[in-house]
Amino acid sequence: MEKVPLLSVENLNVEFSTPDGVVHAVNNVSFAVESGETLGIVGESGSGKSVTASSILKLNSGVTAKTQGAILFNGRDVLGADDKTIRSIRGSEIAMIFQDPLSALNPYYTIGNQIIEAYRVHHRDVKKSAARKIALEMLHRVGIPNPEARIDEYPHQFSGGMRQRIVIATALINSPKLLIADEPTTALDVTVQAQILDLMKDIQKENGMAIILITHDLGVVAETCDDVAVMYGGRIVEKATVNELFLTPTHPYSFGLLGAVRSLDNSARGELQTIAGSPPSLLHLPSGCSFLPRCGYAQQNLAQCSSVVPELEKVSPTESFSACHLRTEALISLKMKELA
Ligand code: SF4
């Protein structure tokens, strides 16, 4: 019998109406995540990765947003769920953490109060004293030294790395099945970044939760993820295991990203470097491939590249999926020779 994924996103489309027109933020995005697995969603700013992640918690449901497609979590229809159901899923079964821990923590409440409150929202019958014990255990688990002394302190009394640990403690207090982490280490220095990623991996090993990691940092992807979806212009342009992406990339955009990473020296972080040109405006997506103005391979197939949007399809002989009209072994081997 085929295994049912914990989360499946199918043909997700998200549009926002703005005074300048309709922003096509996410276009026909599909992926699945299993329990215990980490999926990286990687791309430049404005590629649609954060809007995709927010859709999983139905956070884009404002009056200007139009969301279509299907999101199934643990067998339940998320997009069709009512507000009460979504509120019960948020923070208990699916938790989300963001880049800036300060914006996630209320400066006027002690960290203990915030973690206890996050727990009791979903466990109303648990007494505050019992919830405090659970919060202390979690603070200990995420590496806050001497939590008994520090649980009654305020967010500003902690360093950036410690604050992100507190945010993770708050996110994990209800043992979610899925953690969505949107650039969780971008604001932190390299050493603290590695500690936070290790912490997330350790907790995942213990409780088997799935993680969706949104990042612009291929170094983080290489360290942390099992599978990766590369987004460009609101679409997934390549989907692969991490090994496949790094060893046999199949999309010209991935070639550019990886070429940039490979050119970095050992002391540098693997952040995406500038590829000549700019990402497309999501207000005015072209009729063909949105990577065309930046693609060094389009000349071989200009008529098709400029008029037909390439679909994400399996690329032989790899296990990857790529959205490029030139999905040929010749293209891959040509690029691999350049990268070698
Ligand atoms: Fe380049 Fe054409 Fe492939 Fe787009 S479809 S990435 S323009 S070769």
Side-chain angles (χ1 to χ4, degrees), residues 185-194 269:
T185 58
T186 302
L188 306 174
D189 71 46
V190 180
T191 313
V192 180
Q193 170 182 314
R269 298 170 72 186

Side-chain angles (χ1 to χ4, degrees), residues 251-252 289 291-292 295 297-298 305 310 324-326:
H251 191 281
C289 175
F291 190 58
L292 173 59
C295 181
Y297 299 86
C305 292
C324 173
H325 294 307
L326 293 180

